[in-house]
Amino acid sequence: MRKIFYFLALISVASISACKKNKPINNGDDGTTGPPSTGTALDRIRDSVFLYPQETYLWYNQLPTYKNFQPRNYVSTDTITGLSSEVDHLSQYAVNPASSQPYEYYDNTGTAKYSFIDDGSVSNELSGNGGDFGFSVFYPTRSDLRIKYVYPGSPADKVGIKRGYQITKINGRTDLAYDDGGSTTQFVIQAYAYSKTISMTLARPDNTTVDVTLNTANYTINPVITYKTLDAGSGKKAGYMVFNSFTDKTNAGPKILEALNSFTGISDLIVDLRYNGGGSVETAEYLDNLLVPSAKNGTKMYTAYFNDKLTNDNYTLFKNLYEIPKGFFSVSNQTVNFQKQGSLNLSRIFFIVGSGTASASELTINNLIPELDVELIGSVTYGKPVGFYGIDINKYQLYMPMFSTRNSANNGDYYTGMTPGQGIYKGVSAVDDLTKDFGDPTEGLLAQALSYISTGKYKTGSVTTQSLATSSKNVLSADQKRAMEQRFTRSKVKGLMLKTPSVFKKKK
């Protein structure tokens, strides 16, 4: 049984010191020699981004040779932009035979669906350290930009910004209509995701407006944005928890437990994961152990499957860094069983989901589907049944899929997402309602759960937003919203993160 590995691994390679300066490295593909013996430090970083996936990538056998790929050609005035372009390009080689599209195909821009490289921001967020404004945005329609969530204690929270507020002006600009990744989209992303200061005019639900100016600041991320007990009608009560990020268990665990322990006398639980892009596997396992019925204690939760190089102990670069026990990546060592925790023992759970529901969120759901009645409410999830260790390359961290997962019923290939109400995914398809705050019983997706709890039926009809225009040009398709989610969350956690097991011994 797999005992001690969880969450985020930061495997320090310091600009891939394994690339010896006195001789070329074979890329392990077809005998073609790899990077030349000379080159700048940045050249070796680019080489590292290419070489590690040759050994660790889940679909490594579909990657190109060094000669054909030429990683040193990914040059940009901004280093991280060049490296991101390299990762994006590398991610599009492996094709899923079920779809005839790359496993990492997301839209026609060639952006990787799963892989990315960053400067440490993700690992910082996973630790529960916020250093931004503490809010995120989304467009229900092209002309309507909304606050989709606010973290408690963040700069946005301290000035009173709430989910559902409409943004009518950013840094003096009022033309904010969504343009499918064009100049306006990039302006909005830069303003809220990468700037240190932002000024906005916001319209509240009562049609009053407020002007705010925010500066980024450090704060501790509380991944449980809110929780409350709701009257579902017909004498039934439901617990409702918005869980927004799988930060590490040290940060998230106490907050999850506080919320679940507050629910007494409930008939059902509603867990809102609509914007939760994932994170710590350890935290996902912890949440599943709290939610699973007691009768399932000791049964299989899921298995992680690595590529054949790792399962057959054929990983030269890792062996240059760590003394890893033989057979560590084998299936038998990568199977996790439920270890029931807490007193919650429900037979049904509702998950509110959407295009932002990814990786650790989907793992949590998938693990529970064979074990109790799981109902999904919302739109198609992101579709990420794969995860990774993070690999340190100089000051950057590379994330490319290293394993896939399957639950106790051997289900796990949800590459196109989980669709509520279809196949094994019971529930109902419904549109996100950004005009209301979390926990408002009239909010579209929450209202669906409360209706089912009370009457045994979901509501009919679709949720609209107060700013929805009559013109079809103003409406965004499901695919356009998914592409938007990818663009707007590129700097955020979106993975299944494992951390270095204590059984790994780092070589001197």
Side-chain angles (χ1 to χ4, degrees):
M1 296 298 296
R2 187 178 63 128
K3 300 285 188 184
I4 327 175
F5 80 78
Y6 297 113
F7 175 70
L8 176 67
L10 300 179
I11 301 170
S12 300
V13 296
S15 176
I16 196 169
S17 58
C19 293
K20 307 292 186 181
K21 294 184 179 181
N22 58 354
K23 65 178 181 179
I25 297 295
N26 189 286
N27 67 16
D29 187 10
D30 63 353
T32 305
T33 55
S37 58
T38 59
T40 66
L42 187 51
D43 284 335
R44 292 194 293 277
I45 291 173
R46 296 186 186 107
D47 289 343
S48 302
V49 170
F50 171 83
L51 286 172
Y52 272 93
Q54 300 286 339
E55 180 174 287
T56 63
Y57 194 48
L58 188 58
W59 309 290
Y60 76 90
N61 56 357
Q62 296 191 55
L63 295 180
T65 64
Y66 184 93
K67 180 179 179 180
N68 289 337
F69 188 74
Q70 294 295 312
R72 296 189 182 188
N73 288 341
Y74 290 87
V75 178
S76 173
T77 54
D78 175 15
T79 300
I80 193 67
T81 299
L83 295 177
S84 294
S85 178
E86 180 183 354
V87 171
D88 285 340
H89 189 193
L90 195 61
S91 75
Q92 299 303 296
Y93 281 88
V95 174
N96 183 346
S99 64
S100 298
Q101 293 273 25
Y103 282 99
E104 297 211 48
Y105 176 82
Y106 199 76
D107 57 33
N108 57 15
T109 64
T111 300
K113 185 175 183 180
Y114 310 132
S115 299
F116 64 100
I117 190 167
D118 84 337
D119 58 1
S121 300
V122 165
S123 61
N124 196 48
E125 184 179 342
L126 282 167
S127 298
N129 299 313
D132 51 21
F133 302 119
F135 74 91
S136 189
V137 302
F138 204 72
Y139 286 88
T141 68
R142 290 187 179 278
S143 61
D144 186 10
L145 179 59
R146 297 269 171 169
I147 300 289
K148 70 177 185 179
Y149 68 77
V150 177
Y151 276 123
S154 68
D157 179 50
K158 289 180 178 179
V159 299
I161 297 176
K162 303 291 184 184
R163 167 182 161 82
Y165 283 15
Q166 185 179 36
I167 305 172
T168 59
K169 183 187 294 185
I170 296 178
N171 297 338
R173 178 170 173 167
T174 56
D175 177 15
L176 302 175
Y178 185 65
D179 58 357
D180 298 295
S183 59
T184 300
T185 303
Q186 296 308 314
F187 168 78
V188 172
I189 292 173
Q190 180 62 38
Y192 91 90
Y194 295 103
S195 300
K196 298 296 183 181
T197 302
I198 187 171
S199 296
M200 298 184 293
T201 298
L202 302 163
R204 303 185 183 97
D206 63 3
N207 293 322
T208 62
T209 61
V210 59
D211 294 319
V212 298
T213 297
L214 301 176
N215 296 311
T216 59
N218 294 324
Y219 62 96
T220 299
I221 294 173
N222 182 348
V224 179
I225 290 182
T226 190
Y227 64 89
K228 59 181 64 176
T229 299
L230 299 171
D231 182 358
S234 301
K236 297 179 179 179
K237 294 193 297 182
Y240 173 71
M241 175 178 74
V242 179
F243 188 54
N244 208 57
S245 178
F246 282 83
T247 56
D248 68 52
K249 183 182 172 184
T250 302
N251 172 261
K255 303 300 183 183
I256 295 172
L257 200 57
E258 176 185 315
L260 296 184
N261 285 343
S262 75
F263 302 140
T264 58
I266 62 172
S267 62
D268 292 270
L269 178 65
I270 306 164
V271 181
D272 197 330
L273 299 175
R274 74 183 81 183
Y275 307 132
N276 192 321
S280 164
V281 171
E282 180 184 25
T283 303
E285 293 174 4
Y286 177 68
L287 181 56
D288 275 336
N289 282 325
L290 288 166
L291 300 182
V292 75
S294 298
K296 299 294 184 176
N297 183 50
T299 63
K300 178 179 174 180
M301 181 189 288
Y302 75 96
T303 299
Y305 297 88
F306 290 78
N307 70 36
D308 62 345
K309 282 191 175 182
L310 294 177
T311 56
N312 292 324
D313 301 312
N314 181 22
Y315 39 89
T316 304
L317 292 181
F318 274 10
K319 287 180 179 177
N320 285 337
L321 298 169
Y322 290 96
E323 295 177 5
I324 302 173
K326 188 175 181 179
F328 179 81
F329 295 105
S330 66
V331 170
S332 61
N333 283 327
Q334 300 300 325
T335 297
V336 180
N337 286 352
F338 286 106
Q339 299 178 25
K340 174 62 181 175
Q341 298 190 40
S343 59
L344 198 64
N345 205 32
L346 301 172
S347 60
R348 181 174 63 195
I349 295 176
F350 296 84
F351 288 101
I352 294 178
V353 299
S355 59
T357 306
S359 57
S361 290
E362 292 168 310
L363 177 68
T364 299
I365 294 168
N366 196 54
N367 290 344
L368 292 176
I369 285 176
E371 319 307 337
L372 72 163
D373 181 1
V374 172
E375 300 279 333
L376 304 187
I377 299 172
S379 55
V380 183
T381 65
Y382 188 81
K384 188 178 188 298
V386 295
F388 32 53
Y389 291 96
I391 301 177
D392 273 1
I393 299 176
N394 198 277
K395 66 178 181 178
Y396 305 101
Q397 289 161 353
L398 174 66
Y399 302 87
M400 296 189 73
M402 296 173 67
F403 65 92
S404 62
T405 65
R406 288 183 174 274
N407 63 19
S408 64
N410 202 36
N411 292 321
D413 289 335
Y414 41 86
Y415 289 101
T416 57
M418 301 174 174
T419 303
Q422 291 188 15
I424 64 172
Y425 308 115
K426 298 170 60 178
V428 65
S429 179
V431 181
D432 192 4
D433 179 5
L434 279 92
T435 67
K436 309 249 181 359
D437 201 357
F438 291 123
D440 185 331
T442 65
E443 186 273 315
L445 301 186
L446 178 55
Q448 289 282 11
L450 296 176
S451 173
Y452 194 91
I453 293 168
S454 175
T455 69
K457 297 180 181 179
Y458 290 111
K459 296 166 67 71
T460 57
S462 60
V463 177
T464 58
T465 61
Q466 64 188 36
S467 64
L468 184 62
T470 55
S471 171
S472 61
K473 294 181 180 180
N474 197 36
V475 177
L476 289 160
S477 69
D479 286 343
Q480 288 170 326
K481 288 182 178 180
R482 287 167 66 83
M484 184 199 313
E485 186 75 36
Q486 171 78 341
R487 296 183 181 106
F488 282 10
T489 60
R490 189 160 177 80
S491 64
K492 297 295 183 182
V493 172
K494 54 175 181 178
L496 287 172
M497 312 292 191
L498 295 172
K499 77 174 178 182
T500 307
S502 59
V503 294
F504 283 17
K505 296 180 179 179
K506 192 169 184 177
K507 292 183 178 180
K508 296 181 179 179

